Every structure is written in structure tokens, then in C-alpha cells.
Amino acid sequence: MNRVIDIVVNLWTKDVTQNYTPALDEFWRLVKVEEQTHAGIPLEEQIRRMDAAGIEKGLLIATTGGEVGSSIFFEKPAELIAEVVTRHPQRFKGVIGINPSRIMTWLGKLERAVREFGFVGAHLYPHWFKRRPDDRSYYPFYAKCAELGVPVQIQVGHSAQRFLPTVAHPMALDRIAIDFPELKIIGIHIGYPWTEAMISVAWKHPNVFIGSDAHAPRYWDTSFVRFINGRGQDKVLFGTDWPIVDFERAMREIEALELRETAKRKFLFENAVRVYELEDWV
């Protein structure tokens, strides 16, 4: 059986989900998690579902979005994620969110999360800030991630939420990769609907990778499956963005793709270990 690390996992307990803006309700209905979101999913149930799917470990995201003080602002505090990681150190590692609306404040949060809490990366939702990923307001965060030696996940593709503009075409990562060759960049959400563009940027730059999260495997473009199975077998990392994609569904549908064994092993486990430098954890 393959070992599995999910690089995009959300904490979905009620104390977190009750703070989401009501503007997201339409999206929760669209992806069929509205009831789970309003009720919350206990952490113990989340872990049970990971076990049932054979997912050994996950990177738990301290997400943030929206301008601080706005009606759509939200934050999953790093302290909360760190507490979960402390309780389940062999199950989870933390990833800290980036919010450019308070650059110095969030730079401090980033550094503290990595240095004090042992978080292994950063995460950015560009759509929530209505700024492209290569906007200069993000550059202090990219520089800090490079300095700290941690990768950054950047959501690319369409925004999915109707009230948020789509600002993150995967080609925007090209400029970032050129300016920060020391920074490991993971374009998550596979860049849909511009998957081919995401593949091209990952192929071009040794420091750019692709996260497979947020889109069920049965709907992946055939070109993306070929990339995982062949020339991109060292460039794609498995993720779900759970509960957006259910753990068991993801694993079941990946099995149906009939990936080569070596490619599947890299995709599900080895690439995450290498990119996030998780050798001591696994």
C-alpha cells in the first residue's frame, strides 16, 4: 500500500466554520459541504476519515482571506492549528496563511509560525485580495519564505466564489519563479481551467510544482494525468483541500487513473517529502 501525504487539509471544526462569511454559503452548496460546514466536523471524525482513506499525514492550513476589517475577512489562527499539531504530531504539520493587507503584522505571523510552531510552509489565496500572485504586495512574504526555507502554496485558476474576481492565472507564477529562484512555489488547485498553463510553468521552472487539490481526480484533464504519469512525475503533489474533495473519494478515483507505480508513489508521498523536507517526520 502506498504511503500518502495530503498537502492541503482544512480544519473544519464548528469553532472555525462558524466564522466564515455568509457570502460563502452559495459555494458550500455548490460543492455539497453546506451541512457539514454549518454543523462542523469534529477533529476526531476528520482523522477517522483520513484513516479510512489510507491518508497517513496532512498539512493543516491556517488560512486567511479578505482585507483585515472587511466584512469577508477570516483567519484560522496559527495558534489553533499549532494546538492541533501538538496534539497529533505524527498526523499533521502546519502551514501559515498570508494576508497582505497588514504586511508587517502577517510577516511576523509567518516568521513566528515557522520558527516557534514548526510550520513547514505558507499558503496564499490571491482572489480574496483581488491582486494577482505576482503583485508586489506579496513579495515581502515570498522573500521571507525563501529566507526561512519553506515553500509557498498559491491558489491558481478561477476563484470559484462568485463574489471574488479571478486574478490568479498560472502564468503569473512565471515572474515569481524568475524573481525568487530560491523559493519553492506550489500552484495549488491545478490551475483549473488553465491546467496546461500550470503544467508549462512547472515544466519551465525547477522551483515550481503543482498541487492536485480542490478538483476531484475523475475530472482532471488527461494532459494532467499524463504529466503525473510521465515527465511531471517529480513535479506534482497530492492534495484534496478536504472537505472540498472527500478523502476516500480522492483515493478511490486516483486508483481508477491507473498511474504507473513509481509515478503514483512520487505523487502521493515522495514529492511532498522532498519539497517540504519532511524526511525526519516520515
Side-chain angles (χ1 to χ4, degrees), residues 59-101:
L59 303 188
L60 203 57
I61 316 297
T63 48
T64 180
E67 302 282 334
V68 174
S70 72
S71 62
I72 63 169
F73 169 74
F74 69 91
E75 176 187 9
K76 292 180 185 175
E79 293 80 5
L80 176 60
I81 300 301
E83 179 184 336
V84 173
V85 171
T86 298
R87 288 164 52 196
H88 301 278
Q90 292 306 310
R91 174 71 62 172
F92 298 114
K93 290 282 188 184
V95 172
I96 182 67
I98 290 172
N99 192 313
S101 64

Side-chain angles (χ1 to χ4, degrees), residues 5-18:
I5 297 175
D6 187 335
I7 69 159
V8 189
V9 180
N10 296 292
L11 184 65
W12 221 252
T13 53
K14 190 171 184 178
D15 59 332
V16 168
T17 62
Q18 68 184 357

Side-chain angles (χ1 to χ4, degrees), residues 25 44 54 60 87-88 123 154 168 195 197 228 243 250 261 270 278:
D25 283 352
E44 294 73 19
L60 203 57
R87 288 164 52 196
H88 301 278
H123 176 280
I154 304 175
T195 306
I228 295 171
E261 193 55 41
E270 293 177 3
L278 301 174

Side-chain angles (χ1 to χ4, degrees), residues 2-44:
N2 287 290
R3 300 180 72 183
V4 185
I5 297 175
D6 187 335
I7 69 159
V8 189
V9 180
N10 296 292
L11 184 65
W12 221 252
T13 53
K14 190 171 184 178
D15 59 332
V16 168
T17 62
Q18 68 184 357
N19 294 320
Y20 280 130
T21 171
L24 280 168
D25 283 352
E26 183 179 46
F27 177 67
W28 303 142
R29 285 193 292 273
L30 183 65
V31 297
K32 298 180 173 57
V33 298
E34 183 183 23
E35 184 176 337
Q36 296 179 81
T37 299
H38 288 292
I41 302 173
L43 178 61
E44 294 73 19

Side-chain angles (χ1 to χ4, degrees), residues 102-109 141:
R102 294 290 187 274
I103 290 176
M104 294 308 296
T105 297
W106 250 265
L107 278 174
K109 289 175 183 280
F141 297 97

